[in-house]
Each structure stands twice: as structure tokens, then as C-alpha cells.
Amino acid sequence: MSYPLPASIPQATLGKLAKLGIRDRFDLVLHLPLRYEDETQLQHIAGLVPGVSAQVEGEIIHSEVTYRPRRTLLCQLQDDSGVLHLRYLNFYPSQQKQLAVGKRIRALGEPRIGYFGMEMVHPKCRAAGADAPLKQALTPVYPTTAGLPQTTLSKHIQAALHELELPDTLPPDLLARLRLPPFADSVQLLHNPPPHTDENVLAERAHPAWLRIKFDELLAQQLSMRVHYRKRRSRNAPQLPARNSLTRQLLQTLPFALTAAQQKVLHEISRDLEQTHPMQRLLQGDVGSGKTVVAALAALQAIENGYQVALMSPTEILAEQHYLKLRDWLAPLDIAPAWLSGSLKKKDKQAAAERIAQGETPLAIGTHALFQQQVEFRNLGLVIVDEQHKFGVQQRLALRGKGSEPHQLMMSATPIPRTLAMSYYADLDVSVIDELPPGRTPVVTKLVSDARREEVFERVRHACMAGRQAYWVCPLIDESEALQLQTAIDTHQQLSNAFPELRVGLVHGKLPPAEKAAMMAAFKAGEVQLLVATTVIEVGVDVPNASLMVIDHAERMGLAQLHQLRGRVGRGAAESMCVLLFQQPLSELARARLKIVFENSDGFEIAQQDLQLRGPGELLGARQSGVPMLRFADVSADAVLLDSARAIADELLRDLPQVAQAHLQRWMANKHDFLHA
Ligand code: ADP
Ligand code: MG
């Protein structure tokens, strides 16, 4: 099914339509109104209510142009019940003519109480009379772009509605079961709602016609994800059965026992690795829940089977921490991982790549350099991606090998609310670590105005003098990296001056990797007591003796980010605290957001509330640009529809594959990226 735009549309208009995402006539049909104007009925002037849009009809009894305070066309329109003032600040001579004394006109607008009585500012006016009957439907107002008038857009949409057949993709008995109207009726109604249709119900997208559109969109999304999921199951991957040799050895040497949650997810991963198709599993666990050891055990299961493993992290600091940790853990097993990052000297990089290519090491750890630098693995069996939300979908897919495909384990500390996971990660399997290792002390969170900065200094001094350590996180400055760096340097200077008795360190993104590593090592060893940092420490840094974190300008940060940062403390036995320093005045939204972090310690709860506050685009992050956003449905408000779309998708694929196919065709015809397969 393809519905090309008619050849009669001029090139310039095609360009404007393309700007609105309209590439064929089905796109026109789905270009739904923002709101409506009611030109189906007339009100009496005497009955106008301020703020409630209405249409009135009458005779112009007065019309003049005044110049104070600025050039204004002032008219009076009279009907049987009273007089209404019309006011135009910008007007054309033609309008002035249209509104001359004696003309009968209809005015549509929002009345308000003005200086002379009830008035409308810039109402929409048209000549009244026998040749201008009242409209038979509410008038749609469409989202548009400069140079494309409503009338032109509306004309093309109405033509498409009229010409396209739009047979329903879903069988009538299914629609009856779901209590949803036919598709054609739904778009027809949304473009031309009959008089007296409740505009609020339309605006809230709660009208059955809206529900049908949203359901269709969600169904298409679920279908495409499921299709993708099934395709994966038909591809080949090496079978990596659990042999419990290396994994058992690691478990025996670890200083702790796995939590029940870690055992559960490990079992899920282990079972996936035994399959003949590639695993694509998302491992979610709050900060500090212990994902690294799970990753190490998964890696060992692949290594036990003679395959290689790549562990990729988004930042050097994080990659290096993993490297150091795994190197120590695996030393007793005689496994020496290779370290590969973009900042290595060319010679060292080549040496590492050589070891990997020759299969001399079964484990490669690094940044995305692992995959950018033409590194050839000898037999890659498993790819582990830490903090996967920091990578785009494209990068994720770039990991796929040729021929036989490696298994993939993606880890994320950014908790994804259930509805979002169902919607955007439906092509993945998901494991969740839902418990923290024992012995953690809850972090006390404080919201402190920047006006009380000095008190916070005292707190820092006190903690450090008592033998503990602290982080000072510098504000995020979106506009300029240089400015962000400068702020970090200034803050470091300020704190060094304030605490001559302490050793104050500084890490930031621009620091050469060797210096960064040296600073992190010094902090870990307790040689540095206060670490000033940009958000490079957001993920993964693990220093149990650090018990205080101050986050400067906390109002500028994302909630997930704040939660992650806070997770850097509270890892040891000492009572820990996170101080969120904020700058006055706080906007309403900023206040609400900080309150969420203040009141909740559960990452999932924070993410859920953040989703409600800001919508999924923000939460998934711009980097997830490969992920199709929903246009009509809202995963948080339409959770019920999403649930049924999910169930119906499975049902259709099982019982009515040709229906599923037709539905996908209609909704995905233009959107190949949606299938990202
Ligand atoms: P994250 O999930 O944030 O990546 P990590 O894997 O860095 O968390 O683990 C956080 C800390 O908890 C590390 O010091 C790790 O060694 C420790 N840890 C992990 N699992 C356990 C456990 N079962 N019992 C005690 N400590 C654990
Ligand atoms: Mg981690």
C-alpha cells in the first residue's frame, strides 16, 4: 500500500509538507489537528462569556481607525441582543473594507472584557449571508509551518481523506472486543468533528477516535519490535553452555556472596548464552547493585567455551575501573585482559589489537575504541556494553559481527519505567537486579540553597577531618564545555583556599587519561580527601570511604544523573550524605524535580516520576535518536492501551500474520528505521 502525494501539488508546497513530515497521502490523513474552532453555531452577543471562544453574527454599526496609542481598527458589531467591540492592531485595507459600516459579518474569537465592554481582539471575520451557511463540522486548526496556510493544508488533507479508501487493517470482531471504532471513521471524525463534539475530550485525546489512532500506533510499534525480536531468533550465535569451571573459581575467590537478585539475573543470562541465537539482554540495576560481577561471570561463561569477550564502557574512567577490577578478579584464574582505549599510544594500541586478533587474550576491555579501531577479534562470542543508554542504537548495532553474531549484554543504571521499557525496549529481553548488596547505609539527601554555601564547606571539612572523603561535583554548563572546565578549575581553587589543611584534587573530562587515572587512584587510596569533579564521575566510580557528596547547581542536572551521582556515596559503613546545592530562584519545575530526588531513594520511582514530569524524550535522551518516538500515544498516560497493544501484537503474529503484516505496512511504510533490524 503506498499513497503518493498527487502530482498537482506544487514543488514549493511539497517542500513545506515535507517539513511537517508529510511525504504521502497517508501522512496527510495522519496530520491531525491541534485544536478546533467552532463555526457550526452562532451565539448571542449578550450571552458571550469572557475567555470562551464563540462565533457571533451581526451588522457593523461603527468603524474607525484610531492612532493612539497605535494604529488600530475599532469596530462595533451589533445583533439583536447587544454590541460587541472588535479590535485590530494590524490590518489590511481589505479588512477595513470588509468591516465597513452596514456590512453583515460573522466574527469568531475569544471575547474578553475591554475598556468599552465586551470585545474581541483580532477575531476571524467573514461576510455573512445566504451564500455562507454555517459549517457542518468543527474547523480543524493544524500544526503548520511558515508559508503554508491553514486553508492550503486543510484542502490537501480533505482531498486525501476523500480519495483514499483506508480499509481497516483490523478485523471487526477484534475492534468490537477492544471497543474501538473503525480507522476510517476515526480519522474522518478527527478532521471533521460533527457539531457539539466535546472539544475537551478531543483536546485530551480521550475521544474513541483518538484511542483508535493511538492504539494503531502502539500496535505498529509493538509489532515491529516483535518482528525484530523474532528475526534475531532466526540468526546464529555460538552456543556457550555453562561449564562452571572459571565461573566457579571466581565465585570462590570473591570476598562476598552474590545477592539473590544477582543470582537470578545471572541465571537468565547464562540460559541465553546456551541458545543458538544471539542474546540481546538489557541488565538493569540501580547504581551500586553490583552489575560488574554479573558481567564478569557472564564473560567467564563465554571464555570457558573458548570464545572472546569485549567489555565496552562509555568513558575512559569507567572503562579503566572495569579493567583494573577485572584484572584483579581474574588474575588468580590466569586471565589477563587487554586494555584498549582511544588515548593509548599508537604502538600500545597496536599491541593490544594484536593480542586480541591472535586470540592471546580472551577478554578485551575499553571504550568504543574497541570497535572503531578496526580491531579484529579472533572469535568474539559475547559483547558487554556498560551504561548502554550512553550509546546510540546505531553503535549498539555496529557491534554485530559478520557471519555468526556475538551475544550482547547491555547494562544500564538508568532505570527505565515499565511502560517505557515495554514500548522502547520490546525487542530486548530485560533482567533486573532489584536489590542492593547488604551492608549499605542509606544516603541522607539535603536540599541546600547556595546562600548557605559556607555551612556546606563546614560539613565537608568535618567529614574529611574525621577521616572520610568527599566529592564536590561542579555544575553542568550546557552552552560551553570551556566554561564548564573553567568552573571546575575555579571551584577547585576556591575549595583549595578554603581547606588549606586538606588535599583537594580535580578531575575533569579534558584531563589527559594518565593524569585522570592517577588522580582517581590517589582518591581511592585516600591520599586525596576532597575530589572536585565534573560529571565524569557520574557513572561507576567506586570509592567506599567517600561518604559525602556535594552537587553544585543541582537544579541543572537530570534526575537520573543526580540519582547516579548520589549512588557514588553510601557504599561503605559510614553514614553518608548527599547535599544538593541549588541556586535561587528555582522555577516551579526545577523545584518539583529536586523534590523527587529528595524524597525518593529508589531509581525506578525517580524515573517513573520524571517520566510523568517530562515525557519519554528527555528520559531516553537525545542519544537514543535511533529509537522511534511515538507521535500520538504517550506511554505514561496510555499505559492501558499499551498493555492491550502488546497483547494483541502477540495474538496477531500468532493467529493472523497477514493482518499484522497489513497493519505494519500501513504504519511503517515510510519508516524503515523503525524496524532498525
Ligand atoms: P553497579 O551496578 O553500579 O555497576 P558495581 O558492580 O560497581 O555496581 O558494584 C558496587 C560495589 O558493590 C562494588 O564495590 C562491588 O564489588 C560490590 N558488590 C557487588 N556485589 C556484591 C555483593 N553481592 N555483596 C557485596 N558487595 C557487592
Ligand atoms: Mg557499573
Side-chain angles (χ1 to χ4, degrees):
M1 258 176 294
S2 115
Y3 312 103
L5 290 171
S8 57
I9 299 185
Q11 200 59 41
T13 308
L14 287 180
K16 302 253 155 54
L17 290 174
K19 254 195 185 163
L20 298 173
I22 299 173
R23 285 183 190 80
D24 66 13
R25 282 188 293 172
F26 188 62
D27 290 337
L28 277 172
V29 167
L30 281 187
H31 195 71
L32 296 174
L34 282 174
R35 59 186 178 85
Y36 301 90
E37 284 172 348
D38 189 353
E39 295 173 279
T40 66
Q41 44 192 327
L42 293 173
Q43 311 288 332
H44 291 294
I45 287 175
L48 291 177
V49 178
V52 178
S53 179
Q55 177 169 248
V56 296
E57 182 176 312
E59 188 183 322
I60 299 289
I61 55 164
H62 180 86
S63 178
E64 69 171 319
V65 177
T66 65
Y67 291 88
R68 254 163 306 172
R70 43 194 280 220
R71 190 165 165 270
T72 304
L73 174 61
L74 280 177
C75 305
Q76 290 175 16
L77 180 72
Q78 185 178 45
D79 72 1
D80 298 342
S81 71
V83 173
L84 175 70
H85 296 262
L86 312 180
R87 181 195 291 272
Y88 291 86
L89 297 172
N90 295 304
F91 57 93
Y92 299 106
S94 60
Q95 270 174 310
Q96 208 175 337
K97 236 155 94 195
Q98 187 191 28
L99 296 173
V101 171
K103 299 273 189 191
R104 264 200 88 70
I105 64 134
R106 251 176 234 154
L108 173 82
E110 198 172 286
R112 64 176 201 187
I113 297 170
Y115 189 70
F116 303 106
M118 199 67 93
E119 67 175 17
M120 281 185 187
V121 180
H122 289 219
K124 187 168 154 187
C125 279
R126 60 163 71 221
D131 55 338
L134 285 173
K135 292 260 176 87
Q136 293 304 304
L138 301 184
T139 312
V141 179
Y142 294 106
T144 188
T145 181
L148 184 63
Q150 286 291 332
T151 45
T152 313
L153 188 53
S154 184
K155 187 183 78 191
H156 293 307
I157 291 172
Q158 294 296 343
L161 267 181
H162 189 67
E163 290 154 15
L164 293 191
E165 284 223 14
L166 301 176
D168 218 290
T169 51
L170 304 179
D173 57 328
L174 176 61
L175 292 181
R177 185 147 59 96
L178 294 167
R179 293 171 205 280
L180 288 174
F183 179 78
D185 296 359
S186 300
V187 283
Q188 195 50 254
L189 183 135
L190 293 177
H191 287 291
N192 299 302
H196 305 296
T197 309
D198 187 335
E199 281 183 64
N200 288 327
V201 175
L202 287 174
E204 284 160 19
R205 301 191 171 185
H207 192 283
W210 261 118
L211 298 184
R212 173 64 205 267
I213 304 296
K214 294 194 287 188
F215 178 81
D216 275 21
E217 179 182 45
L218 289 167
L219 179 63
Q221 187 200 40
Q222 292 298 310
L223 283 171
S224 100
M225 297 283 200
R226 298 316 284 174
V227 166
H228 179 59
Y229 185 88
R230 288 177 169 215
K231 272 197 193 143
R232 168 157 59 86
R233 302 207 140 218
S234 67
R235 295 195 302 263
N236 287 325
Q239 265 183 299
L240 308 170
R243 299 186 187 277
N244 296 320
S245 55
L246 294 174
T247 46
R248 180 161 308 150
Q249 283 184 50
L250 176 61
L251 286 171
Q252 277 163 358
T253 52
L254 281 178
F256 51 77
L258 296 188
T259 62
Q262 284 170 317
Q263 284 174 20
K264 180 194 67 183
V265 301
L266 192 59
H267 181 69
E268 289 163 353
I269 295 165
S270 173
R271 218 181 29 204
D272 278 3
L273 293 176
E274 297 188 354
Q275 308 298 313
T276 52
H277 57 259
M279 163 172 84
Q280 271 188 29
R281 188 169 279 279
L282 179 66
L283 172 57
Q284 283 195 48
D286 213 341
V287 227
S289 61
K291 294 184 291 294
T292 316
V293 68
V294 173
L297 289 161
L300 288 177
Q301 183 167 335
I303 295 172
E304 281 175 352
N305 283 283
Y307 279 87
Q308 287 178 304
V309 177
L311 170 56
M312 180 168 92
S313 301
T315 66
E316 293 249 344
I317 286 198
L318 198 52
E320 182 153 35
Q321 282 214 18
H322 277 142
Y323 172 67
L324 296 174
K325 185 159 232 167
L326 271 86
R327 191 187 61 184
D328 291 351
W329 277 348
L330 302 183
L333 315 189
D334 266 340
I335 293 173
W339 163 245
L340 199 92
S341 81
S343 68
L344 278 183
K345 289 202 201 76
K346 199 160 176 223
K347 204 175 84 221
D348 296 337
K349 228 185 279 182
Q350 265 168 1
E354 189 69 8
R355 285 185 66 207
I356 295 168
Q358 296 300 323
E360 282 166 29
T361 178
L363 178 58
I365 301 176
T367 57
H368 53 273
L370 269 182
F371 290 90
Q372 281 178 344
Q373 320 273 325
Q374 306 302 318
V375 180
E376 287 289 337
F377 284 80
R378 212 168 95 94
N379 59 349
L380 186 59
L382 169 65
V383 175
I384 303 173
V385 186
D386 197 14
E387 304 301 336
Q388 72 86 30
H389 60 284
K390 300 266 164 183
F391 294 99
V393 172
Q394 295 318 318
Q395 268 163 306
R396 206 170 88 194
L397 295 176
L399 301 183
R400 286 200 189 152
K402 302 166 196 94
S404 167
E405 198 172 309
H407 296 278
Q408 279 188 45
L409 177 64
M410 289 149 276
M411 306 199 286
S412 175
T414 297
I416 300 155
R418 190 188 70 98
T419 50
L420 213 52
M422 261 167 59
S423 169
Y424 293 103
Y425 292 104
D427 59 329
L428 305 179
D429 294 299
V430 180
S431 291
V432 181
I433 306 184
D434 51 8
E435 111 188 82
L436 292 180
R440 300 284 163 85
T441 39
V443 180
V444 178
T445 301
K446 289 211 185 296
L447 285 175
V448 180
S449 155
D450 192 59
R452 289 166 51 202
R453 209 175 168 86
E454 296 292 329
E455 289 170 42
V456 177
F457 279 17
E458 275 321 299
R459 229 182 250 288
V460 170
R461 189 195 315 275
H462 188 79
C464 292
M465 295 311 276
R468 294 192 299 275
Q469 289 169 279
Y471 297 99
W472 190 289
V473 181
C474 295
L476 199 63
I477 298 169
D478 274 341
E479 312 86 67
S480 150
E481 244 181 89
L483 209 56
Q484 178 156 335
L485 179 60
Q486 193 53 49
T487 311
I489 293 169
D490 293 348
T491 308
H492 176 248
Q493 192 59 51
Q494 187 192 18
L495 292 172
S496 301
N497 294 344
F499 307 119
E501 68 278 34
L502 299 181
R503 254 160 322 201
V504 185
L506 171 66
V507 280
H508 54 74
K510 286 278 169 290
L511 214 56
E515 285 178 41
K516 218 187 288 178
M519 180 52 71
M520 293 313 294
F523 187 61
K524 199 153 189 170
E527 291 154 19
V528 163
Q529 285 107 33
L530 174 60
L531 185 65
V532 179
T534 53
T535 47
V536 292
I537 63 154
E538 179 191 339
V539 282
V541 175
D542 189 23
V543 178
N545 190 46
S547 65
L548 174 62
M549 167 161 296
V550 182
I551 304 178
D552 219 341
H553 281 272
E555 76 280 0
R556 292 187 189 165
M557 298 206 189
L559 297 198
Q561 200 172 25
L562 287 174
H563 179 65
Q564 294 237 337
L565 283 168
R566 181 170 59 181
R568 302 298 121 219
V569 292
R571 300 194 152 206
E575 168 96 345
S576 291
M577 179 179 288
C578 176
V579 177
L580 305 178
L581 262 181
F582 62 88
Q583 198 74 32
Q584 297 275 26
L586 272 185
S587 73
E588 199 66 37
L589 180 65
R591 184 179 301 279
R593 297 179 60 235
L594 287 180
K595 196 159 156 268
I596 293 175
V597 178
F598 174 68
E599 287 175 351
N600 295 281
S601 59
D602 177 348
F604 279 85
E605 189 55 37
I606 291 174
Q608 183 66 50
Q609 296 197 22
D610 202 17
L611 174 67
Q612 270 154 20
L613 218 54
R614 295 192 304 167
E618 298 274 348
L619 199 63
L620 288 172
R623 285 194 184 82
Q624 293 285 2
S625 52
V627 177
M629 288 291 154
L630 294 164
R631 279 171 68 193
F632 305 116
D634 168 334
V635 288
S636 146
D638 298 316
V640 176
L641 275 181
L642 175 59
D643 271 330
S644 72
R646 190 169 142 97
I648 299 299
D650 281 335
E651 191 180 310
L652 291 181
L653 285 171
R654 190 184 60 230
D655 304 334
L656 298 167
Q658 63 301 351
V659 169
Q661 186 62 26
H663 191 78
L664 268 176
Q665 279 272 313
R666 171 172 284 173
W667 280 81
M668 301 290 160
N670 283 336
K671 307 184 177 58
H672 299 294
D673 51 337
F674 208 127
L675 286 157
H676 59 81

